[in-house]
Amino acid sequence: MSKDSYIHKLLPGKADSPLVLAFHGTGGDENQLLGFAQELVPGATVVSPRGDVSEMGAARFFRRTGEGVYDMDDLARATDKMAGFVKAHVEAARPSQVLALGYSNGANILASVLFAEAELFNAVALMHPLIPFAPEVKGSLAGRHVLITAGRRDPICPPELTNRLDANLRQVGADVSLEWHEGGHEVRPNEIDAVKRLFATVTKER
């Protein structure tokens, strides 16, 4: 496990505050969601890594061979590496809670880490995830809060796959909320409000 296995930004928070991890979308970087994450939980430690895969110059967290066609071997590599990165930062920060959000490709790597390390996060926000396979969740997500946000006309993330992910997570005990808007792959204000509500609720549970 290494805190520096990814290029990343770290915003230190108060002692015994939550740790918030932010995962950018394809073509973004460690700055894309940094400010948003900091606003979500004032005083929290924020860590935002940059994807280590380049797709024609666009940073991603794992390789793909086409839209929605994932290199599953590379996804397994990336999941293991990212889980180690998160664990290293949790060990260093000793946070009160571990929260995470990701958009698009960032939501996909976050979801994959969640499947592999079911007890690592207290709450996650998956914004426009695309999981084109049936996830194998190791452990139980009982007591874990998951928010999925999506567009009903998203050409990249079909609504039926969003609904399947919702059902799969509920089957393994997650407390799932699903927030829709009528548009496509863009992030809209109701999604942002939903993430804020999720993290505010979870931090009050402490």
Side-chain angles (χ1 to χ4, degrees), residues 61-181:
F61 290 102
F62 59 88
R63 300 186 188 283
R64 62 181 173 179
T65 58
E67 192 68 66
V69 183
Y70 298 162
D71 180 331
M72 297 304 289
D73 288 339
D74 195 59
L75 176 57
R77 171 207 64 85
T79 300
D80 185 63
K81 180 180 178 181
M82 186 60 76
F85 176 81
V86 172
K87 288 177 183 177
H89 280 278
V90 170
E91 186 174 314
R94 303 284 182 185
S96 56
Q97 293 165 310
V98 182
L99 315 174
L101 71 148
Y103 166 65
S104 194
N105 181 241
N108 299 337
I109 188 63
L110 174 55
S112 191
V113 174
L114 180 68
F115 303 153
E117 302 281 351
E119 297 182 356
L120 187 54
F121 304 100
N122 296 99
V124 301
L126 306 174
M127 306 177 77
H128 297 262
L130 173 59
I131 305 298
F133 54 88
E136 179 182 347
V137 177
K138 298 178 182 177
S140 171
L141 287 174
R144 267 59 189 177
H145 300 269
V146 180
L147 168 68
I148 303 170
T149 72
R152 295 191 185 279
R153 295 174 177 80
D154 192 330
I156 295 174
C157 304
E160 59 268 24
L161 292 187
T162 299
N163 285 323
R164 187 178 74 176
L165 176 61
D166 175 27
N168 287 336
L169 291 172
R170 290 179 191 275
Q171 287 173 1
V172 290
D175 178 3
V176 186
S177 301
L178 190 50
E179 180 75 22
W180 292 97
H181 64 61

Side-chain angles (χ1 to χ4, degrees), residues 3 6-7 14 21 31 50 74 93 109 113 132 142 160-161 173 184:
K3 293 191 300 174
Y6 288 88
I7 296 170
K14 298 176 182 177
L21 294 118
N31 298 300
R50 182 194 305 175
D74 195 59
I109 188 63
V113 174
E160 59 268 24
L161 292 187

